[in-house]
Amino acid sequence: MNRALRKNWDFILCDSLEKVFPDERPRAMDESIPYSVFLGETASFQVAFLPPTIENTLEHEKLGGLKFVHSDPTSTRLSSVELVPCPMVAFDNADDGYLRTAPGLYPDLLVPLVGGLVAPIVGQWRAVWVDFLVRDVGGAGRHVVTIEISSTISGETLFSQSVAITVLPRVLPKLGIVNTHWFHCDGLANYYGVEVFGEEHWHIIDRFVEKAAAADINCLLCPIWTPPLDTVIGGLRTPTQLIDISWVSGEYVFGFERLIRWLDVCASHGIQYVEVPHFFTQWGAEHTPAIYVMRDGIVSRDFGWETEATDPRYREFLEALIPKLKRVLGQYWDPLNVVYHISDEPSGAMLESYLRAKEVVSDLLGEVKIVDALSDYDFYAAGAVTLPIVATDAVEPFIANHVDDFWVYYCVGQNKEVANRFIGLPSVRNRVLGWQLFAFNVHGFLHWGYNFYNNQGSTRAIDPFADTSVGGMFPAGDSFLVYPGPDGQPYESIRFRVFASAMADHRAMCLAVEQTDRPTVMQTIDPNGTLAFDRFSYDPDFYRRTREAINLLIEG
């Protein structure tokens, strides 16, 4: 199209797997593919728009704004797709599967539309995101969602289009695997400028936990002590320690009131699992977390980077803490749904230090679920970790050796060929995870960044609206799924919504197995038998068509 000759607005209906860049005409939604969801499952699509050229705008009228109106105000929600700065999109060895790799402004942030009003920008494609959700069985059936767009200057209707969505009359089963995303309380306190575990902080925590549950995140990292994660050696993160610890008359005294409140918040939003933070530092288990203790009315740090993992003082502390901690967790939470960690991401060279650290706590923990992220099969084969969380680009040896109980994770390191949710990746590389978890019978998924708002090493806080790349060190979007909106209300991202769809896919596949059998479902989602963690379809319509086929298996 010759833009110099375009006199009118341009509108395109897009599906939820498209990313609308300002300088590129987006792919249109294939409207021949039916769209069905279950009660409580969100259906999403977009309306992209491009204003007239500046020459025609000046010639005919002021550009003005757009007014979006939808036909079902009780079930439909509109959000503006905002561009965010991405100073680092991909490493210099990126594969060919990225949408783009250059720094720039990328679509990601979803900001609720106020009054349905949008201020377009001349010469740029932008988009409005449409979510449709029905929870009540009385709303099951066929719905026609109509989006009408008019000019705020003339009142003229510029665009009107309908999308048919069928709401199926049942609720998907709960997600049957552990889905954990590390929850970072320090980022919330730092960004909003509130006292750690003050009432404002608790209010914000509650809203962020509620939002996590909306994406089927069913497990959260519980900061019983400040998690020893993503902290530069010798550095400290803002303390977020739920338990009170005092040294009184030669012994440790513990207060668990804040921990109990945390568990209550999690339970109120349907969180099923909690993670006890790692007992030792990352990448080798050589030191202890920062633990704060009150002595003679003064709180000071008793342990940390200067404390060796095998220090007898730390063992003495754990001997006092762990039995009481397990008792409290057992009283307020199902002990089978409590996850423990030794140290994050150990490798083969760290086997001895990891085993020494594990020996410090293993007899105190007893028969609990201990899981740790790792990428080295030999490390697992040595018996150091009984339930591994395997990097998705290192999972093949575990599958080949028929390990039947493992989780997977991805983070900054899984940046080539495999699924991930970087802003620069196409949304299919986010959505396919639900399919992979189902196909390979993976029992859990872990991601390190639900709301990590620090730079690498946590030497300073960042503003995630201005810095999506962890201070320029990680691909944009790696460290958080949600943005800190006003009044403590998190804003969703495109990546959040697509990840939620991936988990809904997994739930639907599990329900389809109950209605048919696993071979039938596998044949439906992987007809050629080629699906792998590093091999999958990049065709967005494949996912839409196949999800409809899964729904048909369920509904018969």
Side-chain angles (χ1 to χ4, degrees), residues 251-262:
E251 64 179 13
Y252 289 105
V253 177
F254 302 99
F256 296 101
E257 290 79 10
R258 286 197 301 264
L259 171 58
I260 294 168
R261 183 171 181 177
W262 174 276

Side-chain angles (χ1 to χ4, degrees), residues 1 3 6 8-12 22 25 48-53 66 120-126:
M1 176 181 62
R3 290 190 176 183
R6 194 190 72 253
N8 300 315
W9 289 84
D10 202 350
F11 297 93
I12 298 177
R25 186 176 183 84
F49 53 89
L50 178 68
T53 59
L66 296 177
I121 300 176
V122 171
Q124 292 189 19
W125 281 100
R126 305 299 286 270

Side-chain angles (χ1 to χ4, degrees), residues 164-208:
I165 300 172
T166 299
V167 179
L168 303 172
R170 70 169 77 190
V171 177
L172 288 171
K174 286 184 178 180
L175 188 67
I177 62 173
V178 181
N179 178 18
T180 183
H181 290 58
W182 285 346
F183 194 101
H184 300 279
C185 290
D186 60 337
L188 301 181
N190 293 336
Y191 180 83
Y192 288 103
V194 297
E195 176 188 0
V196 173
F197 299 130
E199 286 306 312
E200 289 181 274
H201 196 205
W202 279 113
H203 173 73
I204 295 166
I205 288 170
D206 182 81
R207 290 188 165 188
F208 274 71

Side-chain angles (χ1 to χ4, degrees), residues 225-272:
W225 50 83
T226 305
L229 299 165
D230 301 289
T231 306
V232 65
I233 295 175
L236 295 170
R237 291 176 64 165
T238 299
T240 53
Q241 179 176 301
L242 282 172
I243 58 174
D244 291 316
I245 309 172
S246 301
W247 180 258
V248 180
S249 301
E251 64 179 13
Y252 289 105
V253 177
F254 302 99
F256 296 101
E257 290 79 10
R258 286 197 301 264
L259 171 58
I260 294 168
R261 183 171 181 177
W262 174 276
L263 297 175
D264 286 343
V265 170
C266 290
S268 71
H269 295 299
I271 301 300
Q272 296 173 261

Side-chain angles (χ1 to χ4, degrees), residues 319-489:
E319 288 174 348
L321 171 64
I322 289 177
K324 294 181 175 64
L325 174 62
K326 290 180 65 178
R327 191 176 307 121
V328 170
L329 290 173
Q331 183 178 354
Y332 291 92
W333 207 264
D334 182 349
L336 297 177
N337 291 347
V338 178
V339 177
Y340 294 81
H341 298 287
I342 303 300
S343 176
D344 190 47
E345 293 188 315
S347 63
M350 304 168 186
L351 179 60
E352 289 187 10
S353 61
Y354 182 91
L355 290 174
R356 285 196 301 268
K358 185 178 180 181
E359 188 175 352
V360 172
V361 298
S362 58
D363 64 318
L364 299 173
L365 292 175
E367 298 297 322
V368 300
K369 183 179 293 183
I370 300 176
V371 303
D372 274 321
L374 54 87
S375 304
D376 188 333
Y377 178 77
D378 291 337
F379 196 101
Y380 164 77
V385 179
T386 54
L387 204 168
I389 312 175
V390 187
T392 53
D393 58 353
V395 75
E396 288 305 321
F398 292 80
I399 296 172
N401 286 282
H402 306 291
V403 177
D404 60 1
D405 191 3
F406 67 97
W407 301 2
V408 297
Y409 78 97
Y410 58 61
C411 64
V412 58
Q414 287 61 59
N415 54 75
K416 295 188 71 173
E417 309 300 340
V418 294
N420 213 310
R421 63 186 194 211
F422 304 147
I423 294 174
L425 288 174
S427 287
V428 294
R429 275 176 76 163
N430 185 352
R431 183 133 181 204
V432 72
L433 178 70
W435 305 50
Q436 294 168 327
L437 296 175
F438 173 84
F440 294 97
N441 200 28
V442 179
H443 293 177
F445 174 73
L446 179 147
H447 194 281
W448 74 285
Y450 172 64
N451 61 330
F452 183 78
Y453 303 143
N454 292 338
N455 71 335
Q456 185 188 32
S458 297
T459 60
R460 61 178 174 85
I462 64 167
D463 176 358
F465 293 98
D467 182 355
T468 58
S469 302
V470 197
M473 297 302 295
F474 295 173
D478 181 47
S479 63
F480 58 85
L481 265 185
V482 293
Y483 294 79
D487 301 320
Q489 182 64 51

